[in-house]
């Protein structure tokens, strides 16, 4: 009887919350409509003495009662070296509990494309601790200036059917390993950044890969995470240590109601997590909402919009799978298994492996902490450097962001002006400039067809998994012939160069272009009738000139990489 009562409770709280949300939703919409009525100059009521206050009150009511859905990254373009490049967000891997997103950068300039190709590839592991990955929007936008960026986009557990099975901390570690291998396979090498909660599973993932002799990331940046939660305990640490796992399971774990795809799944609901966030700093949030009310009265649209942007992100929360949440509490905050060396992870094949950070040897480590961090206290992240005992000291670095709280180390002015330059320099210092053969092969058409601007998007799309052409194996006669042709400094003629550097199909397509470029009359005709002066590009002219084009040592693939760049 008691079991049935407890089982019913697991459903009822979530059901009560959903009923309350459904009840408040129409009132929220009505409040928004009323606010617009009292601010519309064409409506007579907007000219009443207290119209602005009434409108502000309705506006605040709408914000407090509305339902906050998952935000979008909304990054459409960034500037790199003063050149604006377009951004396309796409899914590289789609797993039940997480999607690996890539922010693909587009450009139609040869010099810019060359720079983008040589930029380091960075995997940002977003936290699974209540908020969506879009919380790192500022991190992603800033990193895109100088890096190829991937990010983990964790799925709301209430939207994952029970048939997909459970998701625990071991699964999280295995996901991270898969994503690292994917980024390395696509780009030759990878740099990984973990923010807050994932610092522990990311260290575990890299440690396990190193112990197996796999290629590990060239660098690992650990930011504001509880690697050693015994150092400078915060309110978060105290709550985890003062309660037992049974208490957490009985008081914060509930089942998803029937109106979601994940009906019946045991989760730590997002609305309970949000209540915890507010309870940590209730006065600060109350003051923020009151300031928003005053901004609406005074007509300060800029400040009001800044408030809306922040809380649209902050109020959007997701459910976490119960197994993952309870595993994290026990492993990280109660048993401290990583620092004690007692953590065992089960692989997808069912093999149990011990996590040993001392197995990491070739991955540079940067630990970043905020001076005023009230989530992960000072020293908790720095402990990662002491755990990696076999990483050379010259590959270790510690940086404390002065005046920054927890969010300040990855978002806002301090992140952009203080923290990011340190990360950029550290990653570049340990970047080995490896370009995967497939990536290099796929990039050549983009470099050689710049005059056909309308085709660039299609050629870039051809680099997507499953659509890319198969790369010839390194060491085969064809690969050697192409390399030899690329090294030829001065071909006898344009037609001879075509015969040396391309197969028959490519020669038949490229020969007429080369002939025009080397014949004065043809060049004059093409310039006058076919190609307007505004579309003539210096890179294209350089390619048809009699002088040879300087080779690009970074991107030319001449066979297997040197031994020092192939270490794990």
């Amino acid at each position: 009887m008691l079991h049935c009562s407890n089982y019913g409770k697991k459903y009822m709280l979530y059901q009560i919350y959903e009923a309350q949300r459904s009840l408040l939703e129409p009132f929220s919409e009505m409040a928004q409509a009323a606010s617009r009525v009292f601010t519309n100059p064409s409506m007579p009521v907007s000219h009443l003495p207290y119209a602005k206050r009434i409108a502000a009150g309705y506006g605040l009511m709408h914000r407090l009662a509305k339902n906050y859905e998952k935000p979008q990254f909304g990054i459409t373009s960034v500037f790199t070296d003063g050149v604006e490049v377009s951004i396309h967000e796409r899914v590289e891997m789609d797993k039940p509990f997480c999607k690996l997103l890539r922010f693909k950068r587009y450009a139609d300039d040869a010099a810019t494309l060359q720079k983008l190709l040589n930029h380091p590839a960075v995997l940002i592991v977003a936290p699974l601790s209540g908020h969506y990955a879009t919380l790192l929007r500022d991190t992603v936008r800033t990193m895109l200036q100088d890096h190829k960026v991937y990010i983990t986009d964790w799925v709301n557990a209430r939207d994952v059917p029970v048939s997909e099975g459970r998701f625990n901390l071991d699964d999280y570690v295995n996901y991270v390993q898969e994503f690292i291998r994917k980024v390395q396979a696509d780009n030759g090498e990878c740099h990984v950044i973990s923010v807050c909660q994932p610092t522990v599973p990311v260290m575990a993932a890299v440690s396990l890969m190193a112990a197996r002799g796999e290629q590990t990331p060239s660098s690992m940046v650990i930011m504001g995470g509880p690697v050693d939660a015994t150092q400078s305990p915060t309110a978060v640490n105290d709550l985890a240590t003062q309660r037992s796992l049974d208490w957490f399971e009985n008081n914060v774990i509930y089942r998803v109601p029937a109106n979601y795809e994940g009906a019946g799944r045991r989760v730590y609901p997002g609305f309970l997590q949000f209540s915890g966030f507010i309870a940590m700093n209730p006065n600060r949030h109350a003051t923020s909402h009151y300031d928003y009310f005053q901004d609406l009265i005074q007509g300060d649209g800029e400040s009001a919009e800044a408030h809306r942007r922040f809380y649209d992100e902050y109020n959007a929360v997701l459910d976490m799978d119960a197994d993952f949440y309870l595993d994290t509490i026990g492993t990280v905050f109660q048993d401290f298994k990583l620092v004690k060396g007692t953590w065992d992870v089960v692989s997808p094949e069912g093999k149990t492996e011990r996590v040993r950070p001392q197995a990491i040897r070739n991955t540079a480590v940067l630990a970043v902490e905020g001076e005023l961090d009230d989530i992960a206290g000072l020293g908790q992240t720095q402990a990662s450097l002491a755990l990696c005992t076999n990483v050379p000291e010259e590959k270790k670095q510690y940086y404390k962001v002065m005046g920054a709280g927890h969010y300040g180390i990855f978002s806002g002015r301090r992140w952009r002006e203080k923290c990011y330059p340190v990360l950029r320099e550290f990653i570049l210092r340990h970047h080995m400039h490896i370009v995967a053969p497939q990536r290099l092969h796929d990039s050549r058409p983009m470099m050689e067809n710049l005059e056909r601007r309308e085709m660039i998007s299609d050629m870039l799309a051809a680099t997507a998994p499953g659509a890319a052409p198969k790369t010839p194996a390194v060491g085969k006669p064809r690969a050697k012939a192409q390399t030899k042709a690329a090294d030829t400094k001065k071909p006898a003629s344009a037609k001879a160069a075509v015969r040396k550097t391309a197969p028959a199909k490519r020669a038949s397509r490229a020969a007429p272009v080369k002939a025009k470029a080397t014949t004065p009359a043809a060049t004059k005709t093409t310039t006058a009738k076919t190609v307007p002066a505004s579309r003539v590009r210096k890179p294209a002219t350089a390619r048809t000139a009699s002088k040879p084009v300087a080779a690009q040592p970074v991107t030319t693939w001449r066979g297997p990489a040197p031994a020092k760049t192939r270490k794990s």
Side-chain angles (χ1 to χ4, degrees):
M1 186 71 177
L2 179 62
H3 172 75
C4 292
S5 176
N6 187 54
Y7 186 80
K9 177 179 76 75
K10 296 299 182 182
Y11 279 96
M12 287 306 297
L13 182 63
Y14 215 138
Q15 292 284 16
I16 292 172
Y17 168 76
E18 285 296 308
Q20 175 187 348
R21 185 180 64 83
S22 299
L23 180 65
L24 290 177
E25 186 173 1
F27 288 97
S28 173
E29 297 300 323
M30 290 172 59
Q32 184 182 36
S35 177
R36 292 176 176 175
V37 167
F38 279 92
T39 54
N40 189 338
S42 63
M43 303 297 292
V45 293
S46 66
H47 302 286
L48 295 175
Y50 295 99
K52 288 185 177 181
R53 286 184 174 273
I54 296 173
Y58 279 125
L60 181 59
M61 183 185 300
H62 166 69
R63 299 288 303 175
L64 294 176
K66 69 172 292 190
N67 183 41
Y68 292 88
E69 300 292 342
K70 178 184 177 181
Q72 301 297 319
F73 278 99
I75 304 174
T76 57
S77 66
V78 296
F79 282 89
T80 173
D81 291 334
V83 178
E84 186 176 19
V85 296
S86 299
I87 304 298
H88 172 60
E89 177 185 328
R90 71 189 193 192
V91 178
E92 292 289 309
M93 293 184 70
D94 192 353
K95 301 184 71 64
F97 290 88
C98 187
K99 296 178 180 179
L100 178 64
L101 300 183
R102 180 188 178 191
F103 296 88
K104 175 68 179 178
R105 300 175 298 178
Y106 288 81
D108 60 357
D109 172 67
T112 302
L113 283 172
Q114 187 69 31
K115 291 179 181 178
L116 299 183
L117 179 64
N118 293 321
H119 280 171
V122 174
L123 169 63
I124 301 176
V125 184
L128 179 54
S129 56
H131 288 106
Y132 290 97
T134 50
L135 191 68
L136 303 185
R137 182 185 295 102
D138 198 15
T139 312
V140 173
R141 183 185 291 110
T142 306
M143 295 293 298
L144 279 170
Q145 299 173 16
D146 309 287
H147 307 84
K148 308 169 190 173
V149 178
Y150 298 73
I151 192 171
T152 58
D153 186 22
W154 300 102
V155 177
N156 194 334
R158 72 184 183 189
D159 297 325
V160 182
V162 176
S163 59
E164 294 291 351
R166 296 180 174 181
F167 181 79
N168 56 28
L169 188 56
D170 289 358
D171 296 319
Y172 191 116
V173 174
N174 294 328
Y175 270 32
V176 172
Q177 293 180 77
E178 285 190 60
F179 296 152
I180 291 175
R181 295 186 191 106
K182 169 64 176 176
V183 177
Q184 288 179 160
D186 287 352
N187 301 278
E189 64 175 313
C190 167
H191 304 263
V192 63
I193 298 176
S194 57
V195 181
C196 189
Q197 170 269 324
T199 54
V200 174
V202 165
M203 279 203 69
V206 176
S207 299
L208 293 172
M209 295 178 71
R212 298 190 209 103
E214 293 187 58
Q215 178 186 352
T216 56
S218 299
S219 70
M220 176 171 59
V221 180
I222 299 177
M223 305 177 67
V227 175
D228 184 358
T230 63
Q231 304 291 324
S232 306
T234 63
V236 175
N237 307 132
D238 293 339
L239 176 63
T241 55
Q242 291 171 3
R243 308 287 185 178
S244 66
L245 277 181
D246 289 338
W247 182 91
F248 284 102
E249 185 165 9
N250 292 327
N251 289 273
V252 302
I253 303 301
Y254 295 89
R255 292 187 180 272
V256 178
N259 54 316
Y260 293 104
E261 290 187 35
R265 178 177 294 279
R266 297 169 67 246
V267 298
Y268 178 22
F271 65 87
L272 283 183
Q273 300 173 58
F274 177 74
S275 300
F277 299 153
I278 298 298
M280 290 181 63
N281 295 289
N283 294 333
R284 182 184 304 173
H285 292 289
T287 302
S288 179
H289 288 300
Y290 179 75
D291 291 341
Y292 173 69
F293 175 76
Q294 293 294 332
D295 293 336
L296 292 177
I297 294 175
Q298 298 170 8
D300 188 350
E302 183 176 351
S303 298
E305 182 58 29
H307 173 95
R308 285 194 283 272
R309 285 198 304 268
F310 174 80
Y311 278 99
D312 281 348
E313 193 75 56
Y314 190 82
N315 293 352
V317 291
L318 52 75
D319 296 354
M320 286 189 284
D321 188 277
D323 292 323
F324 166 76
Y325 176 71
L326 295 174
D327 280 354
T328 302
I329 293 292
T331 300
V332 179
F333 296 102
Q334 292 187 351
D335 299 333
F336 315 110
K337 291 184 178 180
L338 179 62
V339 295
K340 291 182 178 179
T342 59
W343 188 9
D344 292 328
V345 173
V346 179
S347 69
E349 295 77 24
K351 181 180 179 181
T352 301
E353 300 173 289
R354 177 61 55 91
V355 176
R356 298 184 300 110
Q358 59 268 30
I360 303 174
R361 296 178 180 274
N362 302 309
T363 299
V365 183
L366 169 63
V368 179
E369 293 184 325
E371 179 190 19
L372 308 177
D373 196 332
D374 58 351
I375 303 295
L378 287 176
Q380 293 188 13
T381 307
Q382 188 179 11
S384 59
L385 301 177
L387 292 175
C388 299
T389 55
N390 287 319
V391 175
E393 290 301 319
E394 61 270 16
K395 285 191 172 185
K396 296 180 182 179
Q397 185 177 343
Y398 172 72
Y399 179 63
K400 180 166 68 174
V401 186
M402 303 304 295
H406 185 69
Y407 293 98
I409 63 176
F410 61 83
S411 180
R413 180 177 57 83
R414 287 187 177 88
W415 148 251
R416 293 188 294 269
E417 297 179 1
K418 294 183 177 181
C419 191
Y420 174 65
V422 175
L423 265 70
R424 179 181 57 198
E425 190 276 333
F426 180 82
I427 292 174
L428 187 61
R429 187 165 71 246
H430 299 285
H431 185 48
M432 294 184 290
H433 298 280
I434 300 175
V435 179
Q438 185 68 35
R439 182 71 68 196
L440 182 61
H441 181 278
D442 294 341
S443 300
R444 283 173 179 165
M446 292 183 283
M447 302 293 186
E448 297 171 358
N449 294 276
L450 289 177
E451 64 274 19
R452 300 163 61 189
R453 298 182 61 176
E454 67 278 5
M455 298 296 294
I456 288 180
S457 295
D458 294 337
M459 288 184 287
L460 284 171
T463 63
K470 185 176 180 181
T471 306
V474 176
K476 289 187 178 181
R478 181 182 176 184
K480 291 182 179 179
Q482 289 178 347
T483 304
K484 183 177 179 181
D487 293 339
T488 303
K489 292 187 177 181
K490 192 173 182 180
S493 66
K495 292 184 178 179
V498 170
R499 287 195 297 271
K500 290 182 179 181
T501 59
K505 289 185 178 180
R506 183 178 173 188
S508 63
R509 180 172 66 254
V513 178
K514 295 285 186 177
K516 289 181 181 180
T518 56
T519 305
T523 303
K524 183 176 180 181
T525 303
T526 303
T527 304
K529 296 183 179 181
T530 307
V531 182
S534 60
R535 295 188 62 183
V536 174
R537 298 174 177 272
K538 290 184 179 180
T541 305
R543 292 181 59 82
T544 58
S546 60
K547 294 184 180 180
V549 180
Q552 299 294 335
V554 173
T555 59
T556 300
W557 181 258
R558 302 182 186 277
K564 66 178 182 179
T565 63
R566 295 171 61 87
K567 291 182 180 179
S568 297

